[in-house]
Amino acid sequence: MTHPHPLVVDGDMRACGTCGSYRGWVVISIRDEVWLRCPAGHEQHEPGLGTAWYDRHSGPVTQRHDTYDGGLRDLGH
């Protein structure tokens, strides 16, 4: 899913560890892990989020992917 707004986890705003971007995320849940991709394409695992959080915020699931790259392709990245 895309997440255009700042992402706050446990009261802390998440930022890309490489470039500092803090909005415009692509959020993907793969095998019980949630991954973030910033607009510049940097990727990071987000241990503070789980599949339950993802399911509550993503809306109806229309597609499942076995790989991270498959999810990105489906979102046009």
Side-chain angles (χ1 to χ4, degrees):
M1 75 172 170
T2 58
H3 194 323
H5 307 290
L7 181 61
V8 178
V9 179
D10 295 329
D12 294 321
M13 184 175 62
R14 292 300 189 251
C16 175
T18 303
C19 69
S21 293
Y22 62 92
R23 59 177 60 217
W25 295 107
V26 172
V27 183
I28 296 180
S29 176
I30 301 289
R31 294 189 193 108
D32 298 328
E33 294 181 338
V34 174
W35 288 80
L36 305 176
R37 179 182 168 116
C38 78
H42 305 121
E43 302 165 348
Q44 61 193 45
H45 174 241
E46 178 47 65
L49 298 177
T51 54
W53 177 92
Y54 185 87
D55 290 344
R56 281 192 311 273
H57 291 85
S58 66
V61 174
T62 59
Q63 183 91 17
R64 295 243 184 234
H65 303 284
D66 292 328
T67 66
Y68 181 81
D69 290 335
L72 286 176
R73 276 193 302 278
D74 187 54
L75 291 170
H77 293 274

